[in-house]
Amino acid sequence: MFLENIKKTIQNYHMIEKGDKIIVGVSGGADSIALLAVLCALQKEYDINIEAVHIHHGLRGEEADRDALFVKQICKEWCVPCHVLEFDIAKEAREKGIGLEEMGRICRYNTFYDIAGKNGKIAVAHHQNDQAETVLFNLCRGTGLTGLCGMTPVRGNIIRPFLFVSRKEIEYFLSKKNICYCQDSTNEQNHYTRNKIRLSVLPFLENEINDKAIKHIASAASILSEEETFLEELAEKALHKMIVSKQQKKIALDINLLLSENVVMRRRIFRKAFCLIDDSLQDLSYIHIQQIEQLLHKQTGKRLSLPLKRSVLIEYNNILFSLEDEVKSTKFCYKLLPEKAIYIKEIGKFVELSFNAYKKQEKRLTIYTRVFDYDKIKGDISCRTRQQGDSIAIGNGHQKKLKDFLIDAKIARQKRDKLLLFAVGKQILWIPGYRISSDFTANETTKNKLWISVWEGEKNERTY
C-alpha cells in the first residue's frame, strides 16, 4: 500500500520519466533511507539511474562520521553509486553571517544541483509531517498565501515523492522491510525553531486538538497551493496586458490598468513585476508591497526606495519598477562644425551639421533630421544636455523656460538630464523627438539651409 501511494504521487505530478537520472539526498535517517529504498524498488519499472549524495556537515563529530559510513555501506549493498562530501558548515556560516541551518541547506542543494547537472532530478524525502511543520513555521514567522502552501511536490528539478505520506507510514515501511537507519541526536534537541514545532507543537495538536491535525494541515496546504497556482496565472496574464515598456533592469506598467484590478491582484502584480527584472523577491515584505500600493495614488515624480537597490517611481500615467545602478553623470557638451560628424559617447549616437544632408542621407539610417535657417543662427552650435537658464521659442514671439516645457511635455524627471539638445548659447534650437525652436526654422524664403542629423552607431563606425 505504501509503495502504491508513492507511485500514485509520482504519476499524478509527473515526477519521473523513463531514463531519468535521479539524485537522492541521503542523510542516513529514516526518511531518506526509505526514499532510497522506494526508488531502488521502482528502478527497473521506471528505467531510472539512481545516485545517492550524502553531505557531512562537520558538526556532529563521531555521529556524523558514523552516518557517512552507514550511507556508504548501504549504497554498496544496494548497488547505488554514492557521493559523500564534507563541509565545514560552522566556518562557512560564520564567514557568510548566516545561521547553521541555512548554511547547511545551501551547501546541500548546491551539491545536489552540481551532481544532478542540467537534466538530472533531485529527490528529497520531505513528508506530510515536514509539510505541516513548514506551514506552521511560515505562519508564525509571518506569511501570505504562498507561505501557507508549504512545499510543492515538484519545484524545478526537485521532486518530493513522500509529500503525501506521514512519518509513521515511513517508519512502518522500514520496520516491515527490516531496513535499518540512523538516528540524528540533534533532531531531539529544542535548540532550533523547527525542532520545537516538530517535538512540541505538532504532538500537542495531535494529542489535544485533533489526532489528524498533521494530515489536515498538509491537506489544507495542498488545496491552497492549487488556488495559489490559479491566482498566479491570472496575475501573469494581467501583468502582461499592462506593460508599457520593459528593459533589462526596469519595467513600466500602466497605472490606470493597475487601478482597475482588485487590490489582491495588484499585490501579486507588484511582485511579478520585480521578478521580471530581478528573479528574486528576497527581503521584499508585505510592508513594502503596501508602500507600493500607497505610491500608486501619489503625483508624478514620487519615488520609493526598497531593499537590494530596488525602486518604484511614478511617471505620469505609469509606475516604473527598476533596479538602481550606481549614479553616473550623463552630462555632455560638444561644439559642432559643419560637415564633421561627432560621436556622442554618452548616448551612443552620431550628430552632424551639413549643408547637403540629402546626398548623405541615403548611406545611413538616420534617426532624426531637421532643417534650419542658417542665417538666423548667430553663434556656435553645440550638442549637449540641459543647462540652467535654457529656453526655447514656441511661436508668436514667445519664449518658454526649458524646464517648464519639459514638465508640460510630461517628460519624466530622470530623463530630462539625459535629453539630447542642440543649442546656441542658452537658446535651444531643437530637442530631437519633441520640439524645434520657432526662431530658427527654415521656410520658403530661406537662402542657406542647415541640416542637423542624428543617427545610431558605434564609435569606430565609418562616417560619410
Side-chain angles (χ1 to χ4, degrees), residues 325-338:
D325 290 324
E326 293 182 14
V327 178
K328 297 179 180 178
S329 175
T330 54
K331 291 188 176 295
F332 58 86
C333 182
Y334 295 85
K335 182 179 176 180
L336 303 179
L337 297 173

Side-chain angles (χ1 to χ4, degrees), residues 316 400 402-411 416:
Y316 296 101
K400 195 168 193 174
L402 179 62
K403 179 181 178 180
D404 293 339
F405 169 78
L406 297 178
I407 292 172
D408 292 345
K410 294 187 175 182
I411 298 171
R416 296 172 197 168

Side-chain angles (χ1 to χ4, degrees), residues 341-441:
I342 291 181
Y343 180 70
I344 311 299
K345 62 182 180 180
E346 288 83 358
I347 57 174
K349 293 180 176 65
F350 281 95
V351 300
E352 184 179 19
L353 310 182
S354 178
F355 294 110
N356 56 353
Y358 286 131
K359 294 180 181 178
K360 298 184 178 184
Q361 218 171 325
E362 299 173 357
K363 296 185 179 182
R364 62 174 178 252
L365 180 62
T366 305
I367 300 176
Y368 299 107
T369 295
R370 291 292 182 270
V371 60
F372 298 85
D373 189 326
Y374 187 62
D375 295 327
K376 294 178 181 177
I377 299 172
K378 309 298 182 183
D380 295 328
I381 300 174
S382 62
C383 168
R384 61 174 174 82
T385 48
R386 67 174 178 163
Q387 297 176 359
Q388 190 172 0
D390 284 345
S391 63
I392 186 168
I394 58 173
N396 297 323
H398 296 298
Q399 294 281 333
K400 195 168 193 174
K401 290 181 179 179
L402 179 62
K403 179 181 178 180
D404 293 339
F405 169 78
L406 297 178
I407 292 172
D408 292 345
K410 294 187 175 182
I411 298 171
R413 183 179 297 175
Q414 74 274 17
K415 293 181 181 178
R416 296 172 197 168
D417 287 331
K418 303 175 185 177
L419 275 181
L420 170 64
L421 309 173
F422 291 91
V424 176
K426 296 295 183 179
Q427 288 291 312
I428 303 300
L429 273 72
W430 180 31
I431 311 170
Y434 293 97
R435 185 81 184 220
I436 298 177
S437 169
S438 60
D439 283 354
F440 304 100
T441 53

